[in-house]
Amino acid sequence: RRHTRFRNVTGVQTCALPICQMKIEVIKLNPEAIVPTYAHETDAGADLYAIKNVTIYAKEKAVIETGIAINIPQGYVGFITPRSGLALNKSLTVLNSPGTIDSGYQGEIKVILLNTDPWKEKYIKKNDRIAQIVFQKIEKAEFLLSENFNNESNRSDNGFGSTGN
């Protein structure tokens, strides 16, 4: 469902070297939702929070709701990435990492978590930090059909494992 309460902020950005800061509008779809936060001033990723308790069984996945929608300015993308603490301490990771949130999407932000533990279920509690969102400027590509490439490469078509282990 489309949210029409966003005010069309067009990527207003302020820069104080070395970090730029952009304005991202957030709608709480649930009054108890937590707006994303940065743990440290220099962090690239802002923490996303669960809106309810969820059990993720061994080797299973679950969609975790955040209770928020965000308005990403055109020309930017939000990438959903895992939290290292969840991976290390709970064996949980973002299944489609990084998850891509396009600027045109204004629905609820949801995170697909995978429990990599082969034996134990894991618990997400309401207000737990479940993932991070990192914003990045994007460039569109124009794909040009070609018969061959004009530049030489040492690598050529050597791919998987071509540089050793």
Side-chain angles (χ1 to χ4, degrees):
R1 145 181 128 209
R2 188 160 169 79
H3 303 282
T4 57
R5 294 180 283 179
F6 288 122
R7 283 174 291 164
N8 196 16
V9 172
T10 57
V12 176
Q13 196 175 54
T14 58
C15 290
L17 292 178
I19 297 174
C20 288
Q21 190 172 49
M22 57 194 274
K23 309 260 187 230
I24 301 286
E25 289 180 294
V26 178
I27 292 176
K28 284 185 167 190
L29 304 172
N30 181 312
E32 297 181 18
I34 299 174
V35 173
T37 61
Y38 291 95
H40 304 282
E41 186 177 317
T42 56
D43 286 353
D47 291 323
L48 296 172
Y49 297 84
I51 193 64
K52 57 180 143 181
N53 298 332
V54 178
T55 300
I56 308 173
Y57 295 98
K59 295 187 184 180
E60 295 287 327
K61 63 185 178 285
V63 176
I64 313 298
E65 298 172 8
T66 64
I68 62 165
I70 61 175
N71 190 22
I72 300 173
Q74 192 170 6
Y76 290 85
V77 64
F79 290 122
I80 306 298
T81 62
R83 295 192 67 252
S84 58
L86 276 184
L88 178 64
N89 300 320
K90 288 193 173 188
S91 300
L92 295 174
T93 191
V94 176
L95 182 59
N96 61 326
S97 181
T100 302
I101 309 295
D102 294 306
S103 64
Y105 177 71
Q106 294 184 342
E108 181 177 9
I109 301 297
K110 297 178 183 179
V111 177
I112 305 169
L113 287 184
L114 173 66
N115 179 359
T116 64
D117 189 306
W119 300 287
K120 293 182 184 174
E121 66 270 2
K122 303 297 174 168
Y123 303 99
I124 295 294
K125 292 185 262 176
K126 181 180 174 181
N127 299 334
D128 277 355
R129 295 178 295 165
I130 55 167
Q132 298 180 77
I133 187 164
V134 177
F135 298 99
Q136 194 168 24
K137 193 166 181 51
I138 59 167
E139 292 193 33
K140 289 280 214 166
E142 178 183 357
F143 296 96
L144 306 172
L145 190 58
S146 180
E147 295 295 321
N148 55 44
F149 298 120
N150 293 329
N151 60 329
E152 296 280 329
S153 167
N154 294 357
R155 189 166 177 184
S156 186
D157 62 354
N158 294 324
F160 298 111
S162 65
T163 60
N165 293 335

